[in-house]
Amino acid sequence: QVQLVESGGGLVQPGGSLRLSCAASGSIVSINTMAWYRQAPGKERELVAEITSGGTTYYLDSAKGRFTISRDNAKRAVYLQMNSLKPEDTAVYYCNADVTTYFHTRAYWGQGTQVTVSS
């Protein structure tokens, strides 16, 4: 059993910052790509940023220059530093990880953490 637990969401004013954290636990052999997705009300879930096991990163265009994804392989964790937040960043943010166990390799999701950007 693999679990992803997120933390760090909340309410922040426009221009503010938040840092999201996600830690994986369970019978893990290795973690490949880790990512953050978000879903705003009435919209489809979208990929915000991802980072490979080798450290290669990808960002949604609207996140470039404002968000930074990083990971700590020893802690099996991924982080999303979000700066210069805008109201349009309001969404539920989900952690995603491609995990290899002794039985299979598959994607796992966290439960989601709410980020609200509002004055």
Side-chain angles (χ1 to χ4, degrees), residues 9-80:
L11 173 65
V12 64
Q13 293 187 341
S17 298
L18 282 176
R19 186 176 188 246
L20 305 183
S21 300
C22 172
S25 62
S27 302
I28 297 170
V29 173
S30 64
I31 302 177
N32 310 306
T33 299
M34 303 184 82
W36 289 95
Y37 285 74
R38 68 185 181 189
Q39 187 166 21
K43 295 188 176 181
E44 293 187 353
R45 191 173 295 190
E46 64 180 355
L47 175 62
V48 177
E50 68 177 17
I51 183 167
T52 68
S53 57
T56 300
T57 57
Y58 161 86
Y59 294 95
L60 182 69
D61 281 348
S62 61
K64 290 178 181 176
R66 300 189 299 125
F67 294 3
T68 302
I69 190 170
S70 61
R71 62 190 286 171
D72 184 330
N73 292 326
K75 295 183 178 179
R76 295 175 172 174
V78 63
Y79 310 97
L80 187 67

Side-chain angles (χ1 to χ4, degrees), residues 42-118:
K43 295 188 176 181
E44 293 187 353
R45 191 173 295 190
E46 64 180 355
L47 175 62
V48 177
E50 68 177 17
I51 183 167
T52 68
S53 57
T56 300
T57 57
Y58 161 86
Y59 294 95
L60 182 69
D61 281 348
S62 61
K64 290 178 181 176
R66 300 189 299 125
F67 294 3
T68 302
I69 190 170
S70 61
R71 62 190 286 171
D72 184 330
N73 292 326
K75 295 183 178 179
R76 295 175 172 174
V78 63
Y79 310 97
L80 187 67
Q81 177 67 44
M82 303 186 294
N83 300 327
S84 303
L85 282 161
K86 305 175 181 180
E88 51 264 42
D89 294 318
T90 296
V92 177
Y93 283 71
Y94 296 91
C95 174
N96 172 276
D98 187 49
V99 178
T100 297
T101 68
Y102 290 106
F103 304 104
H104 52 238
T105 297
R106 53 157 284 194
Y108 290 85
W109 293 90
Q111 79 284 359
T113 185
Q114 177 70 48
V115 171
T116 302
V117 184
S118 175

